[in-house]
Amino acid sequence: MLTAAIFIPLAGALLMLALPATRERRLRIVAVLVAAVPLMLLALAWLRFRGGGGFEQVEAVSWIPTLGARYAVGVDGISLPLAAMTALLFTAAIVYPVDLRGRPRAYYALFLFLESVSLGVFLAVDLLLFYVFFDLSIVGMYFLIAAWGHGEAARRAALKFFLYTFAGSLAILLAILALYLSSASGGAPRTFDMARLIAERPLDGPGLLSVLAFLGFAIGFGIKTPLVPFHTWLPPAHVDAPAPASTILAGVLLKMGTYGFVRVVLSMMPATFQRFAFPLAILAVVSIVYGALVALAQQHLKRRIAYTSVNHMGYVVLGIAAAGALRTGAEGARALALTGATVEMVAHGLITGALFLISGSIFERAGTYELAEFGGLARRAPALTAVAVLAAFASLGLPGLAGFVAEFQVFVGTFAVYPWLAAIGLLGIIVTAALFLQLLQRVFLGDMPERWAGWRDLSRRELTALGALLVFVVILGVAPAPLLAVIDAGVRPLVARR
Amino acid sequence: MGRGGDRVLSDLLFWVAGAAAIVTAWRVFRADSMVRAAYWLMASFVAVGVVLVLLDADFLGLVLLLMMAGEMTIMAVFMVMFMMNPAGLNPMMMVHQHRTSIVAGVVAFLGLAAVGLFGAFPVAPALSAPDTTARLGRELLGDSMLIFETAGVALLATMIGAIAIASGSGRYGTAADGSVEPPAELASGETP
Amino acid sequence: MTVWLLPLLPLAGALVILALGRARRSPAALTATALATLLAVIAVAVWAAVHASSAAWALWGPRLAPRLDVGRIGRTMVVLVPVIAVPVVLFAGASFRRDAGLPRLLALLTAFTGLMELLVTAGDFLTLLVAWELVGACSWALIGYQWRDVARVRAARDAFLTTRVGDLGLYLAAAAAFAATGSLDFGALAAARGPAFGVVAAGVLVAAAAKSAQLPFSPWLFSAMAGPTPASALLHSATMVAAGAYLLARLAPTLAPAVGWFGPAVALLGLATALAGGLVASVQTDLKKALAGSTSAQYGLMFLAIGAGFPGAAGAHLVTHAAFKALLFLGAGVALHAADTLDLATLARARLGRTITRVALLVGVGTLALAAVPPLGGAYSKEQIIVAAAHAARWRGTLVVGALVAGLFSAFYAARLQLLAFSHDRGDGNATDGTAPTGAPPSTPELASLALLAALSVALGALWLPGAASAAVWAVGAPLAPGAAWELAASLATVAMGVGGAWLLRRRHMLVTLGLPDAVRTRIAGWFGLPAVGRQLIVRPTLALANALADFDGRVVDAGVRGAVQVATFTSGVLAWWGERGVDGLVTAVARATTRLAHASRAADDQGVDRVVEELARDVGVVGTASRRLQTGLAHDYYRLAAAGTVVLIVVAAFVAVLGRQAR
Amino acid sequence: MTLPALLVVAAALFGIGVYGALSQQSFVMIMMGLELMLNAAILAAVAFWARSAGGTPKGQLLAVVVMAVMAVEAAVGFALVTNIYRIRKADITEKLKALRG
Amino acid sequence: MTMPVGDLLPELILLGGAVVVLIFALIAPRHLQAWAAALATLVLAGAMVATITLMSGPERLTFAGTYAVDGVALWGKLIVCATTIGVVALSVEWFASDPRHGEYYALLLLSALGAVLLAGAADLMQLTLAMLLATTGAAVLIAYHRRSRRAGEAAIKFYLLGALTNSALVFGVVLLFGLAGTTTFEGLHSGLARLGSASLLPLVVATGLVLVGLAFELGAVPAHAWLPDVAEGAPAPVAAFVTAVPKTAALIALARLVAVLPEGAAGWRPLVAVLAAVTMTLGNVAALWQDDVRRLLGWSAVSQTGYGLMAVVALGRSSLAVPALLYFLAAYALATVAAFGVVVVLRGQADRARYAGLVAAHPWLALALLVSLLSFVGIPPLAGFAAKLALFGAVIDAGYGWLAALAVANTVVSVFYYVRVLAPVYLDEPLGAPLPRLGSWAVGSVALATAAVVLLGVWANGLLAAAHAARILPG
């Protein structure tokens, strides 16, 4: 079933290329239908999820037995929510209307392809398979940005994205290989099997190779996350990407970095992780504060949102670092931190996804992202204003919405381990509040320039897509129990070992 | 001749032939014309052939003397006639990157001389046997058969290739006509 | 679970109101819906207060569960909040009946009530924080109600941000509590000790101070004045601002015994705010801002009582204050409506006391309560605060004297406001000359709401009755200190002095200016320049830092990567030399490399756009160009390359071999 | 006629060959340099055969192989040079620099 | 002695086939010359079948130890023959106007034979002659456009550099013979192992000289310079052949040779590592700004050589080395045929700018280009990915993590120039009329090679498992 969730979009992508290009509407409907299939399949997987710790619903076939690599997919408490969020976000992004530059087939095919590989990243329980999907996501996103981005700069930004994240992914590849090569202990054949690597932890010692492997992972995932100072690819990529691609980039692709931290580094080399947890936490806090402050200074709508991603992903990494900072003790707090980090991954996906879609709606109507150009849009677009306010407040961590559930747990959990870092990280909350309130005020409130008198409010399609995301933002904020229960199943084994 | 005198004589001959080989080799690149250079080259080969004979490799020496030297000269003259007009007898000194070349030559010489002088090679002199050449023949048709055959195939390929490239006329008129890349644009009437 | 109806009912009601608003129902219907919701809430609240009910929110999660717990002072607050909200909503429905945003206003007010209910019933830090932040966000929406006006939106933002700074304290407190006890429950706090407990106390104090507009956060209340009057009325009386004092009253019994500095800090902070706020309110010439100043001051008094160890006294004052402050604000709303201004000097000329006498009288009740004139409830609770100060463990003298002075101030500014805003004549004895009232007279629902609140203030006078004290103790969940006669006497004397002072100044036509130079007055009235200080010390530097970082982010120059650039540049130089041949080529290449390095530095430093990673990439590109130069297309150059390569190869091989030999 | 002496002579021939190959402009002259290098190899091969390989016929065979290399190279070289001279009138390396970079 | 002719069945088929094709070319009328291609294909297929039948036999040295019939050699033969079949298909329409069309295939078969022999060479003399055969054939093939100035120039450069390095190789071989007293690898293995430290200098010099000789065939530094020129100047099918086939054989030959060198003394391992590092880096940076796709592929071939050398570095230290070597060669050769095949189909048009909007005119060609170039980068699930995976794994396993890191950096750089080609193909609007295509033989070849790149990547296990079992004799 998980396999179907991964490959049905891929088949859909091929189908797209086979359909005639002229009927854009039909293409879109087919694409949306295909994109929604994984969503339903994952909902089913959610219902079947038992939460006993470890991977469930594993589907495995032999792939490269010579290298100990399998095609194996499965879910645990951490990957399931992320995969579900991914499917939801892709459906919303595909529904969202955007200028297709007369190439609808390629656009939808690429999106479905990207959905396929993104789900693959989160569902793979074989390290090599994980890497395969991880790499492919970069290629898919490159073409999305380059072909449907804004102007000539998009090419450059896309290439920069490609080169930068590809460098990171290759660093990960080396580290994966180090892990793989060390897995031969005790005469057993080498393996890429995550479950075995988690159980055996072959590279979890004080040796130089462990350190190097950790560095490889940290740099690779750090670039993808992105952690300061590896974040410089992010703003241009976002600024020049089409809105749905930005949504996916921020909502899904960034998660691959933090997911990798949890799935690989924290799970497979906890002792090494522990040695570097503090520096990592410092980087995370720097990302939090730095991302928020730099975002505050941006006068470009998308750039501002892009930098808040740096800030929010900092929370995630902080939570992960706190969870891995100790081997024993403060289990409750560390579990809370890791739970918070995972929720933040989901919440940030939904919220920032929505924010980027909103920015896309604005750009489609105005052709600009400059905050100074706007004002008072609430007059003409109450629905747009309402969703923007909701999304902005969710992003700044208002209780009752998904972001708070995440950030609160991260802070409370982290404080028990790194009180000072948690306290410094808190400052980010205030800055994000400032920057989002300012954003709302600049765009939607106050006086309206004459030129926007003909502004159209959100269309049904736009409202549907945004509504789908924001409904979950609210539900997760008010009643996160179902999500937290699932996540807890994934978190428990990670904090309660030895 | 006694054994001692034999050795002195052959040593002497070796030094003379060796010096000749080197000097003539040097003259190759100091010759005024390509034809003279070719003759100096032949002389160098002859000198080396003499050394080979002194080393009891009579067959090889003769082969080198006759076959290689002759072939070389003929081909060189042919080349000169083909390319240089008139007859390549004009004085010439066409060199480039001269200093680099000298340095490279000297380095090569010093390096290999050092190998010869300071490197330890196994000491196992060839016994002066009358059937040296016969053994070579047996080797060629025995253990090293494959090598021999490969050499033959290489010469075959060379012949075919050299003719294919250099021969000016063929069965269908001028051999080289039409021997170009396909045109970028289609001729009218041609379908892609 | 019934207790969860307290927050959920109003929230649901708010949604209904919005839906009705979209359906274009009449203002009366909307108001009625809101009122019905609130009345239902009151019913539930009474039930909950009596049963001291408690319930957890099961939908949160396995590790944390928000819990509601109606206990201690909460049992009073839970009723008080909707009770105050009823007249306010009634007033709002009437006075904004022609406003297109009425559904939004009513919905927000109702929701605000619900969130405040959530806050006062919170049984753990998580619930508290949720309510705390939501109340703040709701206040943002209320203050920015008139969103077309950028200034008001900005004011809303400032108010929200200021209180959110305080929220951080609550985050810290929650985290520290969890770190110390593994739980967020208030009940578990008692088990906590050590530095974490200090952090909890400090966090709570900061959060409470921010919400209750204590120093140095006080100025946000001025920003909050940008909101509509009913919003202010609710904000200042039973919601939002009350939250701080409520939180302290709730947690102080747990915190104060364990953390030595906590009580004195709270008391002194309260005292400072009470005095400063008194000054501000005394010199303000804007009616609502003066009232805002008085709010800070009154909550300062409550802090003082809590710090002195008697949260019960603070609780009592919280109740009485809610009643009269809501009344006063609504009165200010009527005044604004009638005279179209809030400037006291102008109002004084409008002689509202003559044109809308009934309003003036009703507001007068509130004024008397604020001035603490017995037998009104306000007087009783203020009296209790003085008594509490006299029983403080430390700083007793300061607190008592301070409290008395603060009482003097409150009597003075209460009288001043009443005399100026609702004057019968122009204050100079010339009753015939004056501007005619411009606005419409207040409608019946408006009057009714004023009357309701006035009645409540009067009714609270019952506290003076013998035996009422024990009921009060039950209601606020904390003991009151036994009073002494001299305290009452001193207190009454200060009230008399205050009112009398105002009267005298009015006679001398100095009530508006108080005879102070404009500069001094403005400075004091503007919270002693505190907002400017905040801007200079916090906002400006933050923005400057943000800009600097954003600028820096364009460059991201650090030594390591720069080193890599240099290496790359050097390599490109060497490769270029290969292509150039000879020594002069080397010189040229070095020169070029230097130029390039300079260019790179300039690019990084001046242009401010290019990142070092990009520099690095560009330098790889330069190496690429250089290495193409190596490929001259000339066969003898290939020869040279091959020859040199062979030599290098052999040298390297020899080197490696020798090393390998030595290693063994 | 010791092995070192033979090898030094071979080294000299090789060195001169290298010099010629690198310094000459004309294709034919370059080829002469290359022939000299191979000539040196033949000498060295026979020297090893006679002095350090115990007279194994492989030594002689090696010399034969080198001769074959020489012949093949010469033949192909002349064919190619003829060809390039025909189409480009090029007889020295400097004339061929269309393919570069 | 006995003559195990059966061991040479593939080689004999190739030789006999070459002769038959040659005779056919001499007697067939001009309009039937293209049938020589069919004949050549048959011959190559036959050689592959023969090779496969040999696989079931034991791995052994044959012809008195001068020739290896081991897994690596046999796989090498398969790769060479398969690649050559692809090249044959690319050549049919390309050389259609050539009056010596038929002979071309004979030479192609002979050159392939040289490569096949080189892959199995277990004797220094055999190695020298096999390389000579491969090189000679290649030189003639490069010059086959006898009216093309660029082809002639490329051939001369190829020849001159080859002759120089060949001289070095020969002298190195002679020195090794002097040291070991024999030329068979078995003999070298035992002979060199006995040497004392006084023989270090000759050994080092000999190793260096032989390495340079092989570097030419590989297209490795310092004898790489011919590769970009040939890729640009040679007939495009031949360019595909010479960038893929000799390299395959030479890499196997190098692996076989270093396996018998003493591990410590000559220090060949770090030496090859340095060679790999320099080669891949130079190839990559030089490719950065190429606007001519053929030339770009040439430089990329240089860098790919560097990657391939990584497998040699790990030889004997990692069980992944041999699988990595063979898998890389297969992946590389197939992708090369596909990439050059696209150029062939586009009638040799190689200017990057002319590829603008190719996807609109020839979507399948654009796809082939995408697949082949991304395979060069090593994007999963294409064949190049598993190749890089195995290579990186092997060198890390062998303790050469720095080489893996450098390879990673190079891979990132390489993305730049591949994308520089792909971006116009997919993102730009077409400039004018679409480029005309060459015939269906070439298209079929491209399609097959592209499909093979994908399939080999997805079902990587087949070759990897087989390669895992392959030995390299006599190491």
Side-chain angles (χ1 to χ4, degrees), chain A residues 11-360:
Chain A
L14 296 178
L15 177 69
M16 276 300 132
L17 295 177
L19 289 175
T22 45
R23 301 180 59 183
E24 192 177 324
R25 192 181 140 77
R26 193 173 70 182
L27 283 172
R28 188 180 69 237
I29 291 172
V30 174
V32 170
L33 288 179
V34 173
V37 171
L39 188 58
M40 282 177 264
L41 290 173
L42 286 167
L44 232 76
W46 192 294
L47 293 178
R48 286 170 49 189
F49 187 72
R50 303 229 311 272
F55 296 112
E56 294 180 23
Q57 307 177 28
V58 174
E59 297 160 10
V61 288
S62 171
W63 178 33
I64 314 181
T66 317
L67 298 181
R70 295 181 308 160
Y71 167 83
V73 294
V75 289
D76 76 342
I78 290 169
S79 60
L80 181 56
L82 285 172
M85 181 271 287
T86 301
L88 176 66
L89 214 52
F90 266 101
T91 314
I94 291 179
V95 169
Y96 221 67
V98 68
D99 178 13
L100 298 183
R101 313 263 170 90
R103 298 158 89 176
R105 284 195 306 178
Y107 177 82
Y108 289 120
L110 214 47
F111 247 103
L112 290 174
F113 167 77
L114 206 53
E115 173 168 19
S116 181
V117 297
S118 301
L119 287 172
V121 169
F122 294 123
L123 294 178
V125 297
D126 183 280
L127 211 45
L128 192 63
L129 191 65
F130 168 83
Y131 178 78
V132 167
F133 288 128
F134 192 91
D135 236 13
L136 283 176
S137 71
I138 299 172
V139 179
M141 187 48 86
Y142 165 77
F143 280 106
L144 264 185
I145 300 177
W148 287 275
H150 308 315
E152 206 39 46
R155 290 268 188 99
R156 193 179 149 73
L159 184 60
K160 183 165 182 176
F161 160 80
F162 195 162
L163 291 177
Y164 215 135
T165 53
F166 188 60
S169 92
L170 286 172
I172 293 168
L173 179 63
L174 290 189
I176 286 178
L177 279 169
L179 208 54
Y180 163 73
L181 293 170
S182 313
S183 69
S185 59
R190 290 164 173 168
T191 183
F192 285 106
D193 182 18
M194 284 186 179
R196 254 189 70 196
L197 289 171
I198 291 172
E200 293 168 13
R201 303 208 281 275
L203 203 55
D204 194 21
L208 177 66
L209 193 57
S210 304
V211 173
L212 289 178
F214 176 85
L215 281 181
F217 282 129
I219 290 172
F221 291 134
I223 288 175
K224 192 86 171 181
T225 298
L227 275 179
V228 172
F230 302 120
H231 65 285
T232 50
W233 62 268
L234 182 77
H238 270 312
V239 165
D240 297 320
S246 284
T247 298
I248 297 306
L249 179 59
V252 179
L253 264 65
L254 301 194
K255 305 303 170 297
M256 295 176 184
T258 46
Y259 174 72
F261 269 117
V262 179
R263 169 61 68 239
V264 180
V265 193
L266 187 59
S267 303
M268 299 176 190
M269 34 201 319
T272 315
F273 187 91
Q274 187 193 0
R275 287 172 66 192
F276 294 98
F278 189 60
L280 192 63
I282 289 180
L283 271 190
V285 169
V286 169
S287 295
I288 292 172
V289 177
Y290 184 86
L293 283 173
V294 175
L296 178 63
Q298 302 301 329
Q299 301 304 320
H300 183 282
L301 178 61
K302 257 184 143 179
R303 214 166 233 286
R304 182 173 280 211
I305 303 174
Y307 274 104
T308 65
S309 286
V310 177
N311 161 275
H312 282 112
M313 297 312 282
Y315 297 139
V316 181
V317 177
L318 182 62
I320 296 169
L326 302 170
R327 298 303 301 280
T328 54
E331 275 92 0
R334 289 190 293 122
L336 214 55
L338 191 51
T339 308
T342 313
V343 179
E344 179 76 311
M345 289 190 227
V346 177
H348 176 256
L350 298 174
I351 297 167
T352 307
L355 281 171
F356 274 123
L357 288 184
I358 290 167
S359 76

Side-chain angles (χ1 to χ4, degrees), chain C residues 167-191:
Chain C
D167 296 355
L168 299 190
L170 211 51
Y171 270 101
L172 271 185
F178 188 87
T181 68
S183 157
L184 290 171
D185 219 80
F186 289 156
L189 261 188

Side-chain angles (χ1 to χ4, degrees), chain B residues 9-167:
Chain B
L9 181 62
S10 64
D11 273 3
L12 197 65
L13 273 174
F14 162 69
W15 287 118
V16 172
I22 295 170
V23 170
T24 51
W26 180 244
R27 294 299 305 172
V28 171
F29 304 111
R30 285 287 168 273
D32 274 349
S33 79
M34 216 178 271
V35 174
R36 287 194 186 122
Y39 284 122
W40 282 121
L41 182 66
M42 190 182 71
S44 181
F45 273 99
V46 170
V48 170
V50 169
V51 176
L52 297 197
V53 172
L54 287 174
L55 285 168
D56 288 336
D58 308 358
F59 172 70
L60 289 179
L62 286 175
V63 168
L64 196 66
L65 276 171
L66 296 175
M67 193 187 92
M68 298 306 294
E71 179 206 292
M72 287 305 311
T73 313
I74 291 164
M75 294 192 99
V77 171
F78 162 74
M79 286 302 305
V80 168
M81 281 165 43
F82 193 104
M83 294 169 66
M84 292 288 166
N85 211 15
L89 287 164
N90 287 345
M92 57 148 242
M93 184 67 184
M94 294 167 71
V95 293
H96 47 213
Q97 52 183 13
H98 202 221
R99 228 177 328 169
T100 314
S101 308
I102 292 173
V103 171
V106 171
V107 168
F109 167 67
L110 290 179
L112 294 179
V115 167
L117 291 172
F118 307 119
F121 290 91
V123 179
L127 299 173
S128 176
D131 63 340
T132 310
T133 311
R135 283 177 64 196
L136 174 58
R138 277 196 294 278
E139 177 79 21
L140 281 178
L141 294 172
D143 283 356
S144 298
M145 163 99 167
L146 181 62
I147 297 167
F148 184 58
E149 295 300 333
T150 308
V153 175
L155 285 167
L156 171 70
T158 308
M159 274 157 44
I160 302 172
I163 292 168
I165 295 293
S167 156

Side-chain angles (χ1 to χ4, degrees), chain E residues 122-395:
Chain E
D123 182 289
L124 289 172
M125 290 188 279
Q126 177 65 20
L127 184 142
T128 310
L129 288 172
M131 225 173 100
L132 185 71
L133 177 55
T135 314
T136 307
V140 173
L141 292 172
I142 293 168
Y144 216 77
H145 282 329
R146 298 173 299 283
R147 279 286 157 83
S148 160
R149 298 158 70 88
R150 292 195 309 173
E153 175 177 342
I156 284 282
K157 288 178 180 172
F158 177 76
Y159 163 77
L160 283 179
L161 197 54
L164 180 73
T165 53
N166 207 26
S167 302
L169 171 80
V170 166
F171 209 94
V173 165
V174 168
L175 282 178
L176 284 178
F177 166 71
L179 286 168
T182 180
T183 54
T184 62
F185 283 8
E186 268 177 318
L188 279 179
H189 192 43
S190 51
L192 295 180
R194 280 197 300 272
L195 294 176
S197 65
S199 301
L200 193 59
L201 180 63
L203 185 54
V204 163
V205 172
T207 310
L209 290 176
V210 172
L211 220 51
V212 169
L214 283 167
F216 166 76
E217 201 74 355
L218 283 166
V221 172
H224 63 282
W226 62 272
L227 194 37
D229 291 358
V230 166
E232 185 184 352
V238 175
F241 182 79
V242 293
T243 48
V245 171
K247 181 178 298 182
T248 303
L251 206 56
I252 291 174
L254 177 65
R256 201 183 296 286
L257 178 62
V258 294
V260 300
L261 292 180
E263 171 72 31
W268 60 267
R269 205 182 291 277
L271 198 61
V272 176
V274 169
L275 216 54
V278 176
T279 302
M280 66 175 77
T281 309
L282 181 66
N284 270 323
V285 295
L288 282 179
W289 302 108
Q290 300 296 345
D291 288 317
D292 185 294
V293 175
R294 287 156 82 167
R295 192 167 190 82
L296 181 141
L297 287 173
W299 277 115
S300 120
V302 174
S303 73
Q304 296 285 333
T305 297
Y307 299 133
L309 284 171
M310 290 164 70
V312 177
V313 173
L315 213 65
R317 286 234 189 127
S318 168
S319 61
L320 278 172
V322 171
L325 175 72
L326 291 179
Y327 192 90
F328 165 78
L329 288 174
Y332 168 74
L334 289 171
T336 302
V337 170
F340 271 111
V342 172
V343 176
V344 170
V345 174
L346 294 176
R347 299 173 160 263
Q349 292 305 303
D351 187 0
R352 195 170 68 89
R354 291 217 59 183
Y355 282 27
L358 187 65
V359 69
H362 305 297
W364 294 103
L365 274 186
L367 181 69
L369 198 62
L370 179 77
V371 166
S372 53
L373 295 191
L374 289 188
S375 179
F376 283 142
V377 176
I379 299 288
L382 305 173
F385 166 67
K388 282 221 167 112
L389 178 77
L391 286 172
F392 291 173
V395 286

